[in-house]
């Protein structure tokens, strides 16, 4: 007999028919039912046994019904059949298995001992309550759950037997079943009287009805699904850790989030200690040996204030060999220890305070989990239990390791971000001006704030003194964040200073800067593909003599100007394309400014936030600037306080304020030079007289030589008209000679017997600095003479 019919006997009639209808098997029960022996039916069509030969063959995977069969002696037998179809598989053809019971047993009796044994000996905990919800009967499994025999608790209500809030809730559900007559499933997590620890229970409540359908009681069947419940809880905790841990790129915050997730779900106290990387050159070491220096990063307890902790966040302690922290880090695995086992005796004997805390709070178990990410050890998380009586299990270890591993990646990301941010910030600060130069053209103040989360970016500002008492002001923003953006910013700032030094007009300077960004993008690309270097910039030149400001911008926010005693206004300035697009023109605009006007330059991090639109930010900026203050530094602080959120800016912010100054006409003298070299001497005399009027006699000799040389060169090599201008302030006297020739002068080395060629060399030696700049109608050669005694 095949294994699948191992328990088959004559109490069941069984036959097997293949897809063609041929009988394959015929057991003793079938012979008993119809009288046909095996030899006379097997291998022959099963249809021969049918009274009605036209009966259709069964369909589907299962069929049941009553058919008329022919007994061997010729009489008709009505038989109920149950048929199962077995489809063909591999080389085995499909077939039908036919069954019908022959011995249906005796009718059910209330006193049936087998039925009574099924109730009492069933592994499912079952209790029966009457219409008053008084206990009538429990089986052995329920008695074990309750922890009391049936004869002791019979007649009590569920709330009286359990004595817990969960028991009262279950009884309320039983009342609902009793009154509605509808079954109900209830889940609860509790410790019953017969258990050492809490279990998860599924209580299936069903109404018990008499023959007339009246509800006469309630049956409670309790199923222990603790394993599934705990597995679901662990999965939920892991999912929660994925969401809650790593919300920021801050190491301290991330470690605190790890502690927040583990308490109280897995431990009553959690401390997170990280390696003191300063001892290891700023990077996690490849291997560790005790003693190990760890700095407390975060901790949390079920008790407010974490009174069990010996260390406070930020404190450093050396952990010797024998301590759970050092042992787990050296071994590179989780170590679970209990006080009762004596595994912590040596460690506690070295630290009396810890030993006292263990006794005071009843700490009984610890688990030390190394925090490792990308093959590097970052620290250790120590989980402690004292309120929960059960020690850490193997499942607890796996769960703690899973959560800690996920947190370790977030901690390492935060550590790397912090390190890169500090490096980029140091680079940024080294590239930005430490102080703004004092000029006769403007008083200036500035602020730079890195982004709170995104890190240091490529924002920059600068104030650049130019010839003729003029000053250039620039503010820019490189796309992106981090060291790369800071490095690009440094290159652009250097380029701007270089281009400003040759006195390019603002639109021409931005054109050259655009070409540079295009080249930087090409260099940043890989395999011939373009990079993603981009920037915006605003460049302005202010002349205190004419009180005129020339500006141009490349995709940068326009400045805001505040006239003295006036209302802040945004400057109407052509936008211009951002730097890096290449080939597009930039336009300059000129603005006449009254002395004392305040120009406000800024990057978009100041006005772009998630909480408001740009127009609202512009209005807030104008409101902050409208409040008059003599101190530009106070105005800077007021602007930042008004526009930036309390948690810091989302993007880095550069802010530059410049209050214009005007040079009085009395400090400027101008002469138009005739084309006759013989008239140079009278010009020199007029210059000396003007210096006497200004009280600058000490500079007369040098100024006379410089003017003589520059005017002579202009008459000899330049083009008319020629103009001489002297400008002075407290520290500097500037001599300027302008003509309409575009040929720039240059120094050359004169030979011994040459009669000329030494003029500009003499000028360079006698002055602080000299140079030339192109103008709209020619060029200007200038030289600065210092007036302050060293």
């Amino acid at each position: 007999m095949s294994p699948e019919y191992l328990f088959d006997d004559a109490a069941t009639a069984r036959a097997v028919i293949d897809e063609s209808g041929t009988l394959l098997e015929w057991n003793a029960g079938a012979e008993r039912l119809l009288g046909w022996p095996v030899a006379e039916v097997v291998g022959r069509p099963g249809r021969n046994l049918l009274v009605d030969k036209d009966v259709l063959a069964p369909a589907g995977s299962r069929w049941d019904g009553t058919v008329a069969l022919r007994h061997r002696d010729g009489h008709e037998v009505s038989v109920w059949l149950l048929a199962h179809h077995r489809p063909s598989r591999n080389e085995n053809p499909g077939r039908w298995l036919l069954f019908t019971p022959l011995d249906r047993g005796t009718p059910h009796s209330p006193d049936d001992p087998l039925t009574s044994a099924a109730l009492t000996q069933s592994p499912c905990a079952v209790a029966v309550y009457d219409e008053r919800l008084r206990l009538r009967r429990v089986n052995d499994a329920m008695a074990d759950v309750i922890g009391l025999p049936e004869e002791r608790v019979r007649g009590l209500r569920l709330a009286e037997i359990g004595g817990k809030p969960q028991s009262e809730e279950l009884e309320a559900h039983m009342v609902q079943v009793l009154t509605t007559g509808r079954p109900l499933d209830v889940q609860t997590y509790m410790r019953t009287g017969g258990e050492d620890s809490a279990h998860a229970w599924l209580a299936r409540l069903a109404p018990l009805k008499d023959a007339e359908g009246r509800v006469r009681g309630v049956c409670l069947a309790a199923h222990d699904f603790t394993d599934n419940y705990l597995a679901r809880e662990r999965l939920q905790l892991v999912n929660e850790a994925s969401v809650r841990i790593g919300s920021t790129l801050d190491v301290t915050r991330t470690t605190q989030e790890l502690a927040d997730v583990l308490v109280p779900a897995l431990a009553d106290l959690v401390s997170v200690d990280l390696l003191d990387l300063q001892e290891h050159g700023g990077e996690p070491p490849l291997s560790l040996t005790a003693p190990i220096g760890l700095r407390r990063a975060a901790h949390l307890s079920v008790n407010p204030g974490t009174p069990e902790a010996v260390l406070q966040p930020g404190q450093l302690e050396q952990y010797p060999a024998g301590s759970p922290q050092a042992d787990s880090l050296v071994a590179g695995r989780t170590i679970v220890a209990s006080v009762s086992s004596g595994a912590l005796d040596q460690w506690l004997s070295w630290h009396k305070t810890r030993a006292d805390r263990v006794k005071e709070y009843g700490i009984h178990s610890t688990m030390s989990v190394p925090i490792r990410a990308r093959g590097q050890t970052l620290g250790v998380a120590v989980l402690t239990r004292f309120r929960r009586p059960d020690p850490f299990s193997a499942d607890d270890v796996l769960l703690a390791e899973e959560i800690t591993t996920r947190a370790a990646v977030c901690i390492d990301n935060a550590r790397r971000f912090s390190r890169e941010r500090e490096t980029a910030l140091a680079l940024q600060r080294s590239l930005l001006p430490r102080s703004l130069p004092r000029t006769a053209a403007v008083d200036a103040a500035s602020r730079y704030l890195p982004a709170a989360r995104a890190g240091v970016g490529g924002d920059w500002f600068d104030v650049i003194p130019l010839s003729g008492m003029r000053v250039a002001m620039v503010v820019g923003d490189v796309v992106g964040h981090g060291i790369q953006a800071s490095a690009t910013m440094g290159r652009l700032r250097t380029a701007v200073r270089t281009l400003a030094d040759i006195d390019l007009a603002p639109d021409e300077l931005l054109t050259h800067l655009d070409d540079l960004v295009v080249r930087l993008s090409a260099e940043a690309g890989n395999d011939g593909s373009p990079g993603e270097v981009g920037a915006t910039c605003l460049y302005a030149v202010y002349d205190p003599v004419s009180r005129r400001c020339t500006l141009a911008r490349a995709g940068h926010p326009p400045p805001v100007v505040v006239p003295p005693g006036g209302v802040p206004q945004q400057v109407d300035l052509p936008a211009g394309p951002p730097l890096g697009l290449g080939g597009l023109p930039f336009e300059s605009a000129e603005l006449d400014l009254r002395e004392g006007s305040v120009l406000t330059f800024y990057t978009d991090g100041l006005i772009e936030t998630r909480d408001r639109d740009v127009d609202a930010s512009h209005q807030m900026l104008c409101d902050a600037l409208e409040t008059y203050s003599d101190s530009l530094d106070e105005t800077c602080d007021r602007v930042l306080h008004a526009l930036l959120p309390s948690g810091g800016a989302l993007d880095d912010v550069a802010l530059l304020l410049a209050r214009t100054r005007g040079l009085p006409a009395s400090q400027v003298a101008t002469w138009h030079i005739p084309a006759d070299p013989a008239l140079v001497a009278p010009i020199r005399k007029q210059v000396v007289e003007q210096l006497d009027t200004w009280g600058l006699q000490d500079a007369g000799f040098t100024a006379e030589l410089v003017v003589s040389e520059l005017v002579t060169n202009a008459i000899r090599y330049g083009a008319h008209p020629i103009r001489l201008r002297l400008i002075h302030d407290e520290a500097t006297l500037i001599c300027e000679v302008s003509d309409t020739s575009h040929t720039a002068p240059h120094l050359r080395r004169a030979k011994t017997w040459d009669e000329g060629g030494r003029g500009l060399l003499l000028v360079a030696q006698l002055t602080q600095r000299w140079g030339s700049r192109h103008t709209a109608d020619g060029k200007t050669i200038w030289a600065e003479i210092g007036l302050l005694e060293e």
Side-chain angles (χ1 to χ4, degrees):
M1 184 179 292
S2 62
E4 60 182 304
Y5 307 126
L6 184 62
F7 299 102
D8 190 25
D9 55 22
T12 298
R14 177 180 59 80
V16 178
I17 301 178
D18 64 15
E19 297 283 9
S20 65
T22 302
L23 275 166
L24 301 179
E25 295 184 24
W26 187 262
N27 76 335
E31 184 177 352
R32 173 186 166 192
L33 176 65
L34 297 180
W36 295 97
V38 175
E40 295 183 15
V41 292
V42 171
R44 299 180 182 182
R47 189 174 295 274
N48 294 341
L49 300 177
L50 295 174
V51 173
D52 183 2
K53 299 294 193 295
D54 296 328
V55 173
L56 296 177
S61 61
R62 194 185 79 168
W63 176 90
D64 70 282
T66 301
V67 296
L69 300 178
R70 183 71 62 187
H71 195 274
R72 189 170 183 269
D73 61 10
H75 74 274
E76 181 179 320
V77 180
S78 181
V79 179
W80 178 84
L81 290 179
L82 175 63
H84 297 282
H85 182 254
R86 294 282 180 85
S88 59
R89 184 172 299 173
N90 298 330
E91 297 180 356
N92 299 322
R95 54 183 179 166
W96 284 91
L97 279 65
L98 308 178
F99 302 93
T100 187
L102 300 181
D103 186 1
R104 298 182 182 272
T106 59
H108 171 72
S109 171
D111 299 326
D112 182 6
L114 187 61
T115 304
S116 178
L119 173 65
T120 58
Q121 299 176 22
S122 170
C124 179
V126 179
V128 177
Y129 292 83
D130 60 20
E131 62 270 18
R132 300 177 303 161
L133 295 184
R134 297 287 177 178
L135 182 65
R136 178 70 66 85
R137 185 79 186 274
V138 298
N139 66 354
D140 295 342
M142 181 61 81
D144 291 338
V145 170
I146 297 174
L148 295 170
E150 178 184 311
E151 58 270 16
R152 297 291 186 187
V153 296
R154 188 184 301 117
L156 295 178
R157 291 173 27 224
L158 176 60
E160 297 169 339
I161 298 172
K164 294 180 173 60
Q166 296 93 328
S167 306
E168 297 176 358
E169 293 176 5
L170 275 176
E171 188 172 85
H173 290 299
M174 292 174 65
V175 172
Q176 182 179 350
V177 173
L178 192 65
T179 55
T180 63
R182 291 193 295 268
L184 188 64
D185 289 348
V186 180
Q187 293 185 11
T188 184
Y189 190 80
M190 60 183 295
R191 185 179 71 84
T192 65
E195 298 177 314
D196 295 331
S197 59
H199 281 203
W201 295 97
L202 171 61
R204 315 205 75 165
L205 307 177
L208 299 177
K209 302 179 181 180
D210 58 15
E212 287 76 22
R214 294 174 299 180
V215 179
R216 305 301 300 270
V218 176
C219 176
L220 186 154
H223 304 272
D224 186 350
F225 70 107
T226 303
D227 290 342
N228 291 339
Y229 175 83
L230 293 179
R232 187 169 64 247
E233 288 290 303
R234 294 187 180 98
L235 180 59
Q236 182 177 352
L237 188 60
V238 171
N239 292 336
E240 182 182 355
S242 301
V243 174
R244 293 178 58 185
I245 300 176
S247 62
T248 66
L249 286 172
D250 180 79
V251 174
T252 301
R253 178 60 187 162
T254 304
T255 55
Q256 187 62 56
E257 289 168 346
L258 171 60
D260 293 344
V261 168
L262 295 176
V263 175
L266 198 57
D268 301 319
L269 168 67
V270 170
S271 61
V272 182
D273 298 329
L274 300 182
L275 289 171
D276 188 21
L277 298 183
Q278 294 180 356
E279 296 183 1
H280 307 282
E283 283 294 323
L286 297 178
S287 61
L288 291 169
T289 57
I292 300 174
L294 295 173
R295 191 177 299 278
R296 177 62 49 87
H299 58 216
L300 185 67
S301 168
V302 292
N303 295 322
T306 316
E308 310 86 358
V310 175
L311 298 179
Q312 295 302 316
Q315 288 185 307
L316 176 68
E317 183 166 344
Q318 297 292 325
Y319 290 86
S323 63
Q325 293 87 340
D327 290 349
S328 64
L329 289 177
V330 172
R333 60 180 177 83
T334 301
I335 292 181
V336 178
S338 64
V339 175
S340 60
S341 67
L344 298 173
D345 290 349
Q346 184 181 17
W347 166 233
L348 296 177
S349 66
W350 294 336
H351 206 298
K352 183 178 183 303
T353 304
R354 275 195 173 87
D356 293 341
R357 299 285 171 87
V358 168
K359 294 178 182 179
E360 179 181 357
Y361 293 97
I363 294 173
H364 59 82
S365 300
T366 66
M367 174 166 51
S368 301
V369 185
I371 300 174
R372 291 180 55 82
R374 301 180 177 96
Q376 295 179 318
T377 301
L378 306 176
V380 61
V382 179
L383 289 70
T384 304
R385 285 184 177 176
F386 51 85
R387 181 176 294 181
R388 294 175 58 165
D390 51 315
F392 291 106
S393 65
D395 289 337
D396 293 333
V397 172
L398 293 176
L399 181 59
E401 290 176 341
E402 172 70 17
I403 295 175
T404 303
T405 299
R406 294 178 179 232
V409 175
C410 298
I411 293 172
D412 189 49
N413 289 341
R415 179 188 67 84
R416 292 170 182 264
F417 171 78
S418 298
R419 182 186 60 184
E420 180 176 337
R421 187 174 187 272
E422 291 173 359
T423 302
L425 187 57
L427 176 61
Q428 181 90 335
R429 286 173 176 168
S430 68
L431 295 175
L432 290 174
R434 296 187 178 183
S435 60
L436 299 179
R438 298 183 61 183
T439 68
V442 295
D443 296 320
S446 63
R447 294 291 185 273
Y448 171 78
L449 292 178
R453 296 185 181 181
V456 178
D459 289 15
W460 91 92
F461 58 89
D462 213 343
V463 175
I464 308 170
L466 301 177
S467 63
M469 298 290 182
R470 296 169 308 130
V471 65
M473 294 160 287
V474 59
V475 62
D477 183 2
V478 176
V479 175
H481 295 87
I483 295 178
Q484 185 62 43
S486 295
T488 302
M489 178 274 290
R491 299 175 74 174
L492 295 184
R493 178 172 178 255
T494 301
V496 169
R497 293 187 71 91
T498 302
L499 296 172
D501 194 51
I502 60 176
D503 268 313
L504 289 180
D507 54 340
E508 295 180 17
L509 183 142
L510 291 181
T511 300
H512 286 282
L513 200 62
D514 181 52
D515 294 338
L516 173 61
V517 175
V518 170
R519 290 196 298 272
L520 292 178
S521 296
E523 294 174 1
N526 295 319
D527 302 326
S529 61
E532 297 181 354
V533 178
T536 64
C537 185
L538 171 63
Y539 185 77
V541 176
Y542 173 68
D543 186 347
V545 176
S546 64
R547 294 180 175 82
R548 178 165 294 180
C549 184
T550 305
L551 311 92
R553 63 184 177 126
H556 201 84
V560 174
V561 62
V562 186
V567 178
Q569 298 177 359
Q570 183 172 288
V571 177
D572 186 10
L573 185 63
L579 299 175
L581 298 182
L584 299 176
F586 299 94
E587 297 181 55
S588 293
E590 290 190 347
L591 189 66
D592 290 323
L593 298 176
R594 294 160 52 193
E595 183 175 2
S597 299
V598 176
L599 285 166
T600 304
F601 306 92
Y602 54 90
T603 55
D604 56 10
L606 182 69
I607 58 173
E608 293 183 359
T609 68
R610 297 174 181 172
D611 302 330
R612 59 179 181 269
D613 58 29
V614 174
D615 292 337
S617 295
H618 274 300
Q619 186 58 50
M620 294 176 64
L621 173 61
C622 292
D623 293 342
L625 291 172
E626 192 170 6
T627 303
Y628 178 78
S629 175
D630 286 333
S631 173
L632 292 179
D633 285 313
E634 291 180 2
T635 304
C636 284
D637 294 336
R638 185 170 62 251
V639 168
L640 296 180
H641 179 74
L643 274 79
L644 298 185
S646 57
L650 299 178
D651 195 3
D652 49 342
V653 174
L655 175 65
L656 175 64
L657 299 183
R659 180 181 287 121
T660 62
R661 304 164 88 181
L663 205 62
S666 60
Q667 294 179 223
V668 181
T670 305
W671 292 270
H672 292 280
I673 308 300
D676 187 358
L679 298 179
V680 173
I683 295 297
R684 289 202 305 266
K685 181 179 179 181
Q686 295 178 31
V687 167
V688 172
E689 291 175 352
Q690 183 64 56
L691 295 181
D692 290 340
T693 303
W694 286 340
L696 304 178
Q697 295 86 350
D698 293 341
F701 178 74
T702 302
E704 188 177 1
L705 290 177
V706 171
V707 167
S708 177
E709 179 59 33
L710 296 184
V711 170
T712 301
N713 281 348
I715 294 174
R716 182 176 300 173
Y717 304 110
H720 287 70
I722 301 172
R723 187 188 66 178
L724 167 65
R725 186 170 70 164
L726 298 183
I727 309 171
H728 86 90
D729 63 359
E730 297 178 355
T732 308
L733 173 66
I734 300 176
C735 303
E736 293 184 345
V737 176
S738 304
D739 67 83
T740 56
S741 170
H742 293 280
T743 303
H746 61 277
L747 290 175
R748 66 184 181 89
R749 184 179 298 276
K751 298 179 181 179
T752 304
W753 306 108
D754 286 350
E755 296 182 358
R758 300 178 179 83
L760 288 181
L761 180 61
L762 181 62
V763 171
Q765 296 298 318
L766 292 177
T767 60
Q768 289 181 332
R769 61 180 190 140
W770 77 280
S772 66
R773 65 176 182 268
H774 290 282
T775 62
D777 53 1
K779 68 175 181 300
T780 297
I781 303 174
W782 54 269
E784 293 183 1
I785 302 171
L787 299 178
L788 297 178
E789 295 183 1
E790 298 183 359

